Amino acid sequence: MTTQKLSFIGAGNMASAIFGGLIDSGYPADHITATSPDQGQLDALKERYAINTTTDNAQAVRDADVVVLAIKPQIMKDVCAPLAEHLSHKPVIVSVAAGLKVDTLDHWLGGGHAIIRCMPNTPALVGEGASGLYANARVGAEQRETATRLLEAVGIVEWVEEESLLDAVTAVSGSGPAYFFLILEALEAAGVNRGLPLEIARRLAIQTAFGAAKMARDSDQDPAQLKRNVMSPKGTTEQAVFSFENAGIKAMFDDATRACAERASDMSDEFGSL
Ligand SMILES: NC(=O)C1=CN([C@@H]2O[C@H](COP(=O)(O)OP(=O)(O)OC[C@H]3O[C@@H](n4cnc5c(N)ncnc54)[C@H](OP(=O)(O)O)[C@@H]3O)[C@@H](O)[C@H]2O)C=CC1
Ligand SMILES: O=C(O)[C@@H]1CCC=N1
């Protein structure tokens, strides 16, 4: 495992999911720095993870090997511009921001940087993340390997060779945890409507999702076949599955992921002006 110095600019949901997962996987906390304007938030993170913290972004990047930009896309430009003069040692830049393109980030940071765009997801916090990565031409094989190893410490990594595909990654896995939480929310409510106490419905729904995901990940059979294996002819499951299919569930996922990917692309225009 690499022990490079990592600095996270922004210490919110996504940053803490990644550094929390890294620390759980054995990464030395004293090699991790996180920044935020909120001293109270930093104190809590220092207490919980024993990482280095500062409200000074410039200080955090000055001797970092890898700088992870984990702030909202709408403030990225304002946060990047003052960092440019502190990046002459050319750390690898990893941006987790939805929508913002590598060329835009490079321009804001003064130019000439090795930049990796990463679309992670919050299950990184429990070591079960899924990240899509794209690198600009300045990123060398060793730097790719570093990014792969860092993100593999908190889940799976898939590289894409076209930047536009990161919008599709966002639509499937970046935003994806919210779809599955929505399904859990709906299934537990349906369980309550069928007469189960909430806590029992919740535990059954969560364990069923977990078991199904584990089966799908570990099985040689594709999800369609695993679904058919549960659907006994003239049994109970087909009633539910036919009901979902008649309601257009596949078209709903198609529409939802299109809207999500389009929003990622629009964000590049909305927040990515040079
Ligand atoms: N949440 C998710 O599931 C995913 C998010 N992402 C991307 O991750 C990025 C961060 O999102 P998320 O973690 O959800 O957002 P959060 O709001 O949770 O985190 C952003 C953090 O940045 C801090 N911040 C604000 N201004 C500055 C500054 N000038 N310097 C340093 N830190 C600052 C915020 O502090 P304060 O709250 O005090 O303003 C906040 O803690 C976004 O670009 C998003 O697109 C990518 C994949 C998944
Ligand atoms: O909703 C968002 O914009 C971010 C990016 C992917 C997940 N959360």
Side-chain angles (χ1 to χ4, degrees), residues 8-16 35-38 41 55 57 69-76 78-79 95-100 118-122 170 173-175 177 267:
F8 288 80
I9 305 303
N13 292 316
M14 199 58 248
S16 56
T35 77
S36 167
D38 179 347
Q41 181 192 29
T55 55
N57 290 338
L69 300 171
I71 47 182
K72 295 285 187 197
Q74 39 273 61
I75 64 165
M76 186 68 83
D78 289 345
V79 173
S95 166
V96 302
L100 298 177
C118 169
M119 180 43 60
N121 66 11
T122 52
T170 305
S173 53
S175 296
M267 281 162 77

Side-chain angles (χ1 to χ4, degrees), residues 80-95:
C80 282
L83 295 183
E85 63 182 296
H86 303 284
L87 294 170
S88 53
H89 60 303
K90 296 286 187 257
V92 183
I93 308 290
V94 178
S95 166

Side-chain angles (χ1 to χ4, degrees), residues 232-250:
S232 309
K234 298 194 191 315
T236 61
T237 313
E238 63 178 27
Q239 291 302 313
V241 170
F242 292 161
S243 174
F244 283 130
E245 288 180 346
N246 289 338
I249 191 166
K250 287 180 181 164

Side-chain angles (χ1 to χ4, degrees), residues 80-166:
C80 282
L83 295 183
E85 63 182 296
H86 303 284
L87 294 170
S88 53
H89 60 303
K90 296 286 187 257
V92 183
I93 308 290
V94 178
S95 166
V96 302
L100 298 177
K101 295 196 171 129
V102 287
D103 285 351
T104 308
L105 293 162
D106 192 40
H107 181 83
W108 290 342
L109 292 168
H113 295 287
I115 302 191
I116 293 170
R117 256 184 80 187
C118 169
M119 180 43 60
N121 66 11
T122 52
L125 185 58
V126 292
E128 297 291 351
S131 299
L133 270 66
Y134 171 81
N136 73 357
R138 289 185 189 273
V139 175
E142 210 172 300
Q143 293 169 322
R144 270 187 185 239
E145 183 57 26
T146 296
T148 301
R149 277 190 293 160
L150 284 175
L151 287 150
E152 274 184 350
V154 295
I156 67 159
V157 169
E158 298 287 348
W159 283 90
V160 294
E161 298 309 323
E162 278 175 58
E163 188 168 12
S164 62
L165 287 177
L166 282 182

